[in-house]
Amino acid sequence: MSEIRICGYRPLSGEINVQGSKNGVLPMLAASLLQCGTMRFTNVPIIQDVACMVGILESVGCRCRFQGSRLSIDASRVIKTAIPQEDVKKMRSSILVMGALLGRTGEAAAWYPGGCSIGSRPVDLHLLAFSRLGAGVEEEEGRIRARGRLRGGEIVFPFPSVGATENALLAAVLAPGETVIFGAAREPEIITLCQLLRQMGAVIAGEGTERIQIKGVSRLYETEYAVPGDRIAAGTYLAAVTAAGGQAVLWGAPWESMGAVTETLCRCGACIEPLPGEGGRILGARILMEGRPRPVRLQTGPYPEFPTDLQSPMLAVLSLAEGESRLRENVFEARFKTAAELKKMGADITVSGNQAVIQGKEGLSGARVRAWDLRGGAALVAAALAARGETVIEDCIHIERGYEDICRDVQCLHGDIRWSA
Ligand code: EPZ
């Protein structure tokens, strides 16, 4: 399995070009199925999850072509409406293809993605959305099938699920009549998906609020789209500098969607500011961190609250803070697995239910640790950069799912880090 070796305890310094957004691009690639031409994306992150999504699109008939970070998807021929089980098991967000297939062909089949190390992660709200749009939904031995001529309807989500909101949008844009989604997710990834769909000819209003209205249209058209910077990858590197100390410039960090993250890290003592460009544009973020982080009380929640995806990197930061911090995880029921790995490095973290109490330590020590999930692995990189001695992180395959090359990026900050197996 792939391992990363890090020698820490030295301040970071340098510049990173932030990769394209994993959670932004995945629903956009699924949206390609809703038109019969060729979609063209730029700034696409070269990561395992994108490769998996491209594989799924090709398995249903699309022809995809990568040129560097440019990806074209010819969806003129869609010949299948079932998503292979192995792809669903590999990547949960493959379920997003269901909504697009249902919208385009009137039928779609997939499998229950199953849980992972951060929680059970059911898809009941996705299936609720399909039913509310008139599809018949059958579940049998782990297999899900949805079919029917969709029509507009009212969808009410009891929780602002990101994926279920995306699937509802993908299914509704071609459904005759009006659809209203109540309790919609407000994440930036919803906003960029709606921007893309509108560029394709969809009629949508209200994205970024909890009420989104869609008027079904008869056809959608090919377009080009530049994938925005990944706010979670950018937040990961801001957390790494806050933990290890030093300074960094993150070109392409989506400043406007990182408010809760930058505000929290500033409370920890980091000095973070936007990189101004011409005409009032913001080109990224700059961070300076000296001394140990200050402790904070923090909880995760749906956007615009603090993102659950940066909860584990924050555990790493607060493990070094000057005092006691408390962190409550309100989105996933099992997302503290990385605490046990941080404790191997000397962190003092007590987890009880969905709350962690962290007694900050002056320093952490290098150790052999394991990445249990994507963001947990990234948190271990941040902790190792601040720790004395060498850390070896095992099972880094998880990290490769969402970060183009975390070693390359940290080396840009002059961190002593390399892939080792
Ligand atoms: C998306 O996952 C992201 N993934 C996750 O990022 C992110 O953590 C999550 O949103 C929350 O922001 C992608 O965008 C590909 P949810 P998603 O549906 O859509 C429950 C990463 O590290 N729920 O908003 O699966 C669910 O169990 C990944 O990049 C239901 O109960 O998240 C969870 O407790 C990890 N029924 C909560 O809602 C459903 O039908 C939030 O899940 C769907 C979700």
Side-chain angles (χ1 to χ4, degrees), residues 22-23 26 92-93 118 121-126 159-163 187 308-309 331-332 335 374-375:
K22 165 178 92 78
N23 293 348
L26 291 174
R92 282 187 42 77
S93 42
I118 64 174
R121 303 188 76 181
V123 292
D124 55 316
L125 301 182
H126 297 244
F159 180 89
S161 158
V162 174
E187 271 69 4
T308 175
D309 292 348
V331 178
F332 288 103
R335 203 168 195 176
L374 164 57
R375 307 305 178 181

mmCIF file of all heavy atoms in Angstrom, residues 22-23 26 92-93 118 121-126 159-163 187 308-309 331-332 335 374-375, ligand 1:
data_model
loop_
_atom_site.group_PDB
_atom_site.id
_atom_site.type_symbol
_atom_site.label_atom_id
_atom_site.label_comp_id
_atom_site.label_asym_id
_atom_site.label_seq_id
_atom_site.Cartn_x
_atom_site.Cartn_y
_atom_site.Cartn_z
ATOM 1 N N LYS A 22 -12.750 18.681 -5.980
ATOM 2 C CA LYS A 22 -13.263 17.306 -6.130
ATOM 3 C C LYS A 22 -14.785 17.300 -5.984
ATOM 4 O O LYS A 22 -15.503 16.773 -6.841
ATOM 5 C CB LYS A 22 -12.659 16.388 -5.075
ATOM 6 C CG LYS A 22 -13.362 15.053 -4.913
ATOM 7 C CD LYS A 22 -12.730 14.147 -3.893
ATOM 8 C CE LYS A 22 -13.318 14.306 -2.537
ATOM 9 N NZ LYS A 22 -14.636 13.648 -2.326
ATOM 10 N N ASN A 23 -15.278 17.902 -4.909
ATOM 11 C CA ASN A 23 -16.719 17.817 -4.644
ATOM 12 C C ASN A 23 -17.533 18.729 -5.555
ATOM 13 O O ASN A 23 -18.748 18.602 -5.637
ATOM 14 C CB ASN A 23 -16.996 18.121 -3.175
ATOM 15 C CG ASN A 23 -16.422 17.031 -2.273
ATOM 16 O OD1 ASN A 23 -16.019 15.974 -2.755
ATOM 17 N ND2 ASN A 23 -16.339 17.310 -0.984
ATOM 18 N N LEU A 26 -17.404 16.464 -9.407
ATOM 19 C CA LEU A 26 -18.076 15.167 -9.553
ATOM 20 C C LEU A 26 -19.535 15.303 -10.002
ATOM 21 O O LEU A 26 -19.947 14.658 -10.975
ATOM 22 C CB LEU A 26 -17.945 14.351 -8.261
ATOM 23 C CG LEU A 26 -16.530 13.862 -7.957
ATOM 24 C CD1 LEU A 26 -16.453 13.198 -6.588
ATOM 25 C CD2 LEU A 26 -16.031 12.910 -9.041
ATOM 26 N N ARG A 92 -18.747 6.574 -3.414
ATOM 27 C CA ARG A 92 -20.142 6.832 -3.063
ATOM 28 C C ARG A 92 -20.798 7.784 -4.033
ATOM 29 O O ARG A 92 -21.957 7.615 -4.406
ATOM 30 C CB ARG A 92 -20.223 7.439 -1.670
ATOM 31 C CG ARG A 92 -20.071 6.490 -0.549
ATOM 32 C CD ARG A 92 -20.336 7.222 0.727
ATOM 33 N NE ARG A 92 -21.477 8.113 0.603
ATOM 34 C CZ ARG A 92 -22.735 7.684 0.617
ATOM 35 N NH1 ARG A 92 -22.973 6.411 0.703
ATOM 36 N NH2 ARG A 92 -23.726 8.520 0.512
ATOM 37 N N SER A 93 -20.069 8.798 -4.461
ATOM 38 C CA SER A 93 -20.772 9.830 -5.241
ATOM 39 C C SER A 93 -21.109 9.323 -6.629
ATOM 40 O O SER A 93 -21.661 10.053 -7.438
ATOM 41 C CB SER A 93 -19.968 11.117 -5.297
ATOM 42 O OG SER A 93 -18.638 10.834 -5.494
ATOM 43 N N ILE A 118 -16.634 6.951 7.871
ATOM 44 C CA ILE A 118 -17.128 8.169 8.539
ATOM 45 C C ILE A 118 -18.606 8.064 8.886
ATOM 46 O O ILE A 118 -19.182 8.981 9.466
ATOM 47 C CB ILE A 118 -16.858 9.436 7.703
ATOM 48 C CG1 ILE A 118 -17.614 9.414 6.377
ATOM 49 C CG2 ILE A 118 -15.378 9.624 7.474
ATOM 50 C CD1 ILE A 118 -17.472 10.726 5.597
ATOM 51 N N ARG A 121 -23.989 6.516 5.996
ATOM 52 C CA ARG A 121 -24.177 7.243 4.723
ATOM 53 C C ARG A 121 -25.274 6.607 3.856
ATOM 54 O O ARG A 121 -25.031 6.128 2.750
ATOM 55 C CB ARG A 121 -22.860 7.350 3.971
ATOM 56 C CG ARG A 121 -21.802 8.021 4.831
ATOM 57 C CD ARG A 121 -20.560 8.330 4.077
ATOM 58 N NE ARG A 121 -20.747 9.505 3.222
ATOM 59 C CZ ARG A 121 -19.766 9.978 2.431
ATOM 60 N NH1 ARG A 121 -18.616 9.350 2.393
ATOM 61 N NH2 ARG A 121 -19.982 11.031 1.664
ATOM 62 N N PRO A 122 -26.518 6.594 4.336
ATOM 63 C CA PRO A 122 -27.627 6.067 3.538
ATOM 64 C C PRO A 122 -27.927 6.965 2.340
ATOM 65 O O PRO A 122 -27.357 8.058 2.213
ATOM 66 C CB PRO A 122 -28.787 6.086 4.529
ATOM 67 C CG PRO A 122 -28.436 7.128 5.520
ATOM 68 C CD PRO A 122 -26.934 7.129 5.628
ATOM 69 N N VAL A 123 -28.810 6.500 1.457
ATOM 70 C CA VAL A 123 -29.203 7.298 0.284
ATOM 71 C C VAL A 123 -30.718 7.476 0.233
ATOM 72 O O VAL A 123 -31.282 7.769 -0.823
ATOM 73 C CB VAL A 123 -28.689 6.664 -1.022
ATOM 74 C CG1 VAL A 123 -27.166 6.737 -1.101
ATOM 75 C CG2 VAL A 123 -29.168 5.229 -1.172
ATOM 76 N N ASP A 124 -31.367 7.343 1.386
ATOM 77 C CA ASP A 124 -32.842 7.438 1.417
ATOM 78 C C ASP A 124 -33.352 8.777 0.875
ATOM 79 O O ASP A 124 -34.405 8.830 0.211
ATOM 80 C CB ASP A 124 -33.355 7.197 2.836
ATOM 81 C CG ASP A 124 -32.714 8.137 3.855
ATOM 82 O OD1 ASP A 124 -31.485 8.329 3.801
ATOM 83 O OD2 ASP A 124 -33.434 8.712 4.682
ATOM 84 N N LEU A 125 -32.618 9.851 1.116
ATOM 85 C CA LEU A 125 -33.088 11.170 0.652
ATOM 86 C C LEU A 125 -32.946 11.297 -0.866
ATOM 87 O O LEU A 125 -33.752 11.962 -1.527
ATOM 88 C CB LEU A 125 -32.332 12.293 1.368
ATOM 89 C CG LEU A 125 -32.464 12.297 2.895
ATOM 90 C CD1 LEU A 125 -31.710 13.470 3.499
ATOM 91 C CD2 LEU A 125 -33.922 12.313 3.336
ATOM 92 N N HIS A 126 -31.957 10.614 -1.429
ATOM 93 C CA HIS A 126 -31.819 10.606 -2.892
ATOM 94 C C HIS A 126 -33.053 9.927 -3.505
ATOM 95 O O HIS A 126 -33.653 10.432 -4.443
ATOM 96 C CB HIS A 126 -30.564 9.817 -3.305
ATOM 97 C CG HIS A 126 -29.271 10.385 -2.826
ATOM 98 N ND1 HIS A 126 -28.286 10.860 -3.672
ATOM 99 C CD2 HIS A 126 -28.774 10.530 -1.564
ATOM 100 C CE1 HIS A 126 -27.262 11.287 -2.954
ATOM 101 N NE2 HIS A 126 -27.532 11.100 -1.674
ATOM 102 N N PHE A 159 -32.961 17.039 6.152
ATOM 103 C CA PHE A 159 -31.575 17.447 6.414
ATOM 104 C C PHE A 159 -30.991 17.922 5.095
ATOM 105 O O PHE A 159 -31.233 17.312 4.062
ATOM 106 C CB PHE A 159 -30.756 16.257 6.958
ATOM 107 C CG PHE A 159 -29.311 16.625 7.238
ATOM 108 C CD1 PHE A 159 -28.936 17.116 8.486
ATOM 109 C CD2 PHE A 159 -28.349 16.546 6.234
ATOM 110 C CE1 PHE A 159 -27.613 17.487 8.727
ATOM 111 C CE2 PHE A 159 -27.035 16.912 6.469
ATOM 112 C CZ PHE A 159 -26.668 17.391 7.709
ATOM 113 N N PRO A 160 -30.228 19.007 5.084
ATOM 114 C CA PRO A 160 -29.724 19.536 3.809
ATOM 115 C C PRO A 160 -28.600 18.676 3.237
ATOM 116 O O PRO A 160 -27.429 19.064 3.226
ATOM 117 C CB PRO A 160 -29.229 20.931 4.179
ATOM 118 C CG PRO A 160 -28.879 20.852 5.622
ATOM 119 C CD PRO A 160 -29.817 19.875 6.229
ATOM 120 N N SER A 161 -28.975 17.489 2.740
ATOM 121 C CA SER A 161 -27.986 16.582 2.158
ATOM 122 C C SER A 161 -27.424 17.172 0.862
ATOM 123 O O SER A 161 -28.171 17.517 -0.059
ATOM 124 C CB SER A 161 -28.655 15.228 1.854
ATOM 125 O OG SER A 161 -27.937 14.525 0.865
ATOM 126 N N VAL A 162 -26.100 17.236 0.766
ATOM 127 C CA VAL A 162 -25.455 17.771 -0.444
ATOM 128 C C VAL A 162 -25.754 16.863 -1.633
ATOM 129 O O VAL A 162 -26.273 17.301 -2.665
ATOM 130 C CB VAL A 162 -23.938 17.903 -0.221
ATOM 131 C CG1 VAL A 162 -23.219 18.318 -1.498
ATOM 132 C CG2 VAL A 162 -23.649 18.891 0.906
ATOM 133 N N GLY A 163 -25.465 15.596 -1.492
ATOM 134 C CA GLY A 163 -25.652 14.658 -2.608
ATOM 135 C C GLY A 163 -27.087 14.527 -3.035
ATOM 136 O O GLY A 163 -27.393 14.504 -4.227
ATOM 137 N N GLU A 187 -24.295 24.433 0.033
ATOM 138 C CA GLU A 187 -22.847 24.399 -0.225
ATOM 139 C C GLU A 187 -22.469 25.087 -1.534
ATOM 140 O O GLU A 187 -23.248 25.088 -2.504
ATOM 141 C CB GLU A 187 -22.372 22.946 -0.257
ATOM 142 C CG GLU A 187 -21.939 22.371 1.097
ATOM 143 C CD GLU A 187 -23.080 22.156 2.094
ATOM 144 O OE1 GLU A 187 -24.259 22.370 1.730
ATOM 145 O OE2 GLU A 187 -22.781 21.806 3.219
ATOM 146 N N THR A 308 -17.497 19.802 7.729
ATOM 147 C CA THR A 308 -17.122 18.525 8.353
ATOM 148 C C THR A 308 -15.845 17.955 7.739
ATOM 149 O O THR A 308 -15.074 17.272 8.408
ATOM 150 C CB THR A 308 -18.262 17.504 8.239
ATOM 151 O OG1 THR A 308 -17.838 16.242 8.735
ATOM 152 C CG2 THR A 308 -18.731 17.337 6.802
ATOM 153 N N ASP A 309 -15.593 18.281 6.472
ATOM 154 C CA ASP A 309 -14.409 17.719 5.802
ATOM 155 C C ASP A 309 -13.103 18.267 6.367
ATOM 156 O O ASP A 309 -12.032 17.729 6.084
ATOM 157 C CB ASP A 309 -14.465 17.990 4.298
ATOM 158 C CG ASP A 309 -15.584 17.198 3.645
ATOM 159 O OD1 ASP A 309 -16.136 16.296 4.313
ATOM 160 O OD2 ASP A 309 -15.930 17.480 2.486
ATOM 161 N N VAL A 331 -22.345 16.369 11.525
ATOM 162 C CA VAL A 331 -22.798 15.913 10.202
ATOM 163 C C VAL A 331 -22.710 14.398 10.048
ATOM 164 O O VAL A 331 -23.654 13.746 9.631
ATOM 165 C CB VAL A 331 -21.992 16.626 9.092
ATOM 166 C CG1 VAL A 331 -22.416 16.138 7.715
ATOM 167 C CG2 VAL A 331 -22.166 18.137 9.196
ATOM 168 N N PHE A 332 -21.548 13.804 10.385
ATOM 169 C CA PHE A 332 -21.389 12.345 10.269
ATOM 170 C C PHE A 332 -21.239 11.745 11.663
ATOM 171 O O PHE A 332 -20.662 12.353 12.559
ATOM 172 C CB PHE A 332 -20.155 12.015 9.413
ATOM 173 C CG PHE A 332 -20.359 12.310 7.956
ATOM 174 C CD1 PHE A 332 -19.810 13.432 7.378
ATOM 175 C CD2 PHE A 332 -21.141 11.473 7.171
ATOM 176 C CE1 PHE A 332 -20.012 13.719 6.036
ATOM 177 C CE2 PHE A 332 -21.345 11.748 5.822
ATOM 178 C CZ PHE A 332 -20.780 12.880 5.255
ATOM 179 N N ARG A 335 -16.861 10.168 12.577
ATOM 180 C CA ARG A 335 -15.782 10.845 11.847
ATOM 181 C C ARG A 335 -14.629 11.245 12.782
ATOM 182 O O ARG A 335 -13.931 12.218 12.498
ATOM 183 C CB ARG A 335 -16.343 12.058 11.090
ATOM 184 C CG ARG A 335 -15.437 12.423 9.923
ATOM 185 C CD ARG A 335 -16.007 13.399 8.946
ATOM 186 N NE ARG A 335 -15.205 13.368 7.730
ATOM 187 C CZ ARG A 335 -15.484 14.061 6.619
ATOM 188 N NH1 ARG A 335 -16.550 14.853 6.595
ATOM 189 N NH2 ARG A 335 -14.726 13.956 5.543
ATOM 190 N N LEU A 374 -10.128 9.750 3.618
ATOM 191 C CA LEU A 374 -9.474 10.807 2.837
ATOM 192 C C LEU A 374 -9.010 11.975 3.698
ATOM 193 O O LEU A 374 -7.842 12.362 3.722
ATOM 194 C CB LEU A 374 -10.470 11.271 1.766
ATOM 195 C CG LEU A 374 -10.245 12.572 1.038
ATOM 196 C CD1 LEU A 374 -8.909 12.606 0.345
ATOM 197 C CD2 LEU A 374 -11.369 12.804 0.036
ATOM 198 N N ARG A 375 -9.902 12.569 4.458
ATOM 199 C CA ARG A 375 -9.564 13.790 5.198
ATOM 200 C C ARG A 375 -8.806 13.449 6.486
ATOM 201 O O ARG A 375 -8.019 14.260 6.974
ATOM 202 C CB ARG A 375 -10.816 14.603 5.501
ATOM 203 C CG ARG A 375 -11.674 14.906 4.306
ATOM 204 C CD ARG A 375 -10.917 15.612 3.180
ATOM 205 N NE ARG A 375 -11.801 15.826 2.019
ATOM 206 C CZ ARG A 375 -11.443 16.398 0.894
ATOM 207 N NH1 ARG A 375 -10.204 16.804 0.745
ATOM 208 N NH2 ARG A 375 -12.276 16.535 -0.114
HETATM 209 C C1 EPZ B 1 -20.830 15.345 0.374
HETATM 210 O O1 EPZ B 1 -21.123 14.013 0.745
HETATM 211 C C2 EPZ B 1 -19.323 15.391 0.186
HETATM 212 N N1 EPZ B 1 -18.923 14.477 -0.878
HETATM 213 C C3 EPZ B 1 -18.630 14.988 1.501
HETATM 214 O O2 EPZ B 1 -17.222 15.110 1.307
HETATM 215 C C4 EPZ B 1 -19.070 15.966 2.586
HETATM 216 O O3 EPZ B 1 -18.512 15.557 3.815
HETATM 217 C C5 EPZ B 1 -20.604 15.968 2.702
HETATM 218 O O4 EPZ B 1 -21.195 16.271 1.418
HETATM 219 C C6 EPZ B 1 -21.098 16.993 3.710
HETATM 220 O O5 EPZ B 1 -20.672 18.256 3.349
HETATM 221 C C7 EPZ B 1 -19.057 14.867 -2.165
HETATM 222 O O6 EPZ B 1 -19.533 15.956 -2.445
HETATM 223 C C8 EPZ B 1 -18.601 13.909 -3.211
HETATM 224 P P1 EPZ B 1 -24.564 14.480 2.702
HETATM 225 P P2 EPZ B 1 -22.673 13.518 0.813
HETATM 226 O O7 EPZ B 1 -25.556 13.782 1.866
HETATM 227 O O8 EPZ B 1 -23.446 14.190 -0.258
HETATM 228 C C9 EPZ B 1 -26.942 11.922 5.876
HETATM 229 C C10 EPZ B 1 -14.981 14.386 1.279
HETATM 230 O O9 EPZ B 1 -14.192 14.089 2.179
HETATM 231 N N2 EPZ B 1 -27.733 11.446 4.732
HETATM 232 O O10 EPZ B 1 -24.653 15.973 2.842
HETATM 233 O O11 EPZ B 1 -22.685 12.047 0.887
HETATM 234 C C11 EPZ B 1 -25.534 11.346 5.850
HETATM 235 O O12 EPZ B 1 -25.520 10.060 6.436
HETATM 236 C C12 EPZ B 1 -16.416 13.904 1.363
HETATM 237 O O13 EPZ B 1 -14.706 15.079 0.275
HETATM 238 C C13 EPZ B 1 -28.852 10.672 4.961
HETATM 239 O O14 EPZ B 1 -29.203 10.385 6.097
HETATM 240 O O15 EPZ B 1 -23.100 14.119 2.232
HETATM 241 C C14 EPZ B 1 -24.743 12.355 6.656
HETATM 242 O O16 EPZ B 1 -24.908 12.073 8.035
HETATM 243 C C15 EPZ B 1 -16.691 13.090 2.627
HETATM 244 N N3 EPZ B 1 -29.576 10.223 3.897
HETATM 245 C C16 EPZ B 1 -25.448 13.671 6.332
HETATM 246 O O17 EPZ B 1 -26.735 13.332 5.773
HETATM 247 C C17 EPZ B 1 -29.218 10.526 2.603
HETATM 248 O O18 EPZ B 1 -29.935 10.105 1.662
HETATM 249 C C18 EPZ B 1 -24.683 14.529 5.315
HETATM 250 O O19 EPZ B 1 -24.557 13.777 4.146
HETATM 251 C C19 EPZ B 1 -28.063 11.317 2.393
HETATM 252 C C20 EPZ B 1 -27.344 11.766 3.465
#
